Amino acid sequence: MGPRLLAVQHAAYAIEAKIIGDDRIPPLSETLEELRARPLRWVGAFDEGELLVGAIAWDETVDEVDIDRLVVDPGAHRRGVGRALVEEVMSRADGRRIVVSTGRDNTPARTLYERLGFVGLDEVEVIPGLWIANYAYDG
């Protein structure tokens, strides 16, 4: 499953890189070993043929859930996969605050989070010229 997850991740972040005009997104160049080393919880979405088409990863504390990444295979865009994955994490949060970051200029991702009730917190330049938008959902 790891190689397919990595392929979906790279394809998804390649799309984001095009949208935001910057390919310095760390998960875009992550190796399988680096991916496996991350202490994250994962949920996947599969098509009818049981092929992974999307995944979401997060870490959590007793007070907060931090969505680390949401990836959807470009061939599965506009089918509700991303929304379903975020909603799954929301259902597991048990009333805890959920935070997430995305590229400032990633309008599709920002729209998704805003439609689900996430509120924009701020925008941060994480490295020169690369901006992210931070969101929170307080249920």
Side-chain angles (χ1 to χ4, degrees):
M1 184 60 58
R4 174 64 185 162
L5 174 58
L6 186 65
V8 170
Q9 175 173 295
H10 284 169
Y13 282 110
I15 297 294
E16 182 172 13
K18 285 182 184 176
I19 291 170
I20 69 172
D22 197 318
D23 65 358
R24 296 177 295 164
I25 305 166
L28 181 57
S29 60
E30 194 169 55
T31 67
L32 186 55
E33 293 74 28
E34 290 168 332
L35 178 65
R36 286 182 169 151
R38 300 288 312 263
L40 298 170
R41 297 173 186 258
W42 288 90
V43 169
F46 300 84
D47 67 9
E48 297 81 21
E50 299 187 26
L51 180 69
L52 182 76
V53 295
I56 191 166
W58 71 95
D59 60 11
E60 59 186 63
T61 65
V62 294
D63 299 316
E64 187 174 84
V65 173
D66 183 351
I67 297 174
D68 183 83
R69 62 191 72 191
L70 170 64
V71 296
V72 177
D73 186 288
H77 282 180
R78 312 290 304 160
R79 290 197 222 156
V81 173
R83 180 182 187 95
L85 288 165
V86 174
E87 287 175 338
E88 179 62 26
V89 171
M90 293 170 78
S91 74
R92 294 173 182 228
D94 253 353
R96 291 174 289 176
R97 179 178 227 221
I98 305 170
V99 295
V100 66
S101 301
T102 191
R104 178 186 67 184
D105 298 327
N106 188 344
T107 302
R110 293 185 75 163
T111 300
L112 169 67
Y113 295 125
E114 290 167 7
R115 286 184 178 161
L116 288 170
F118 285 77
V119 175
L121 300 175
D122 59 13
E123 296 177 355
V124 178
E125 189 175 21
V126 291
I127 55 177
L130 181 60
W131 288 81
I132 61 166
N134 294 304
Y135 283 87
Y137 177 82
D138 290 307

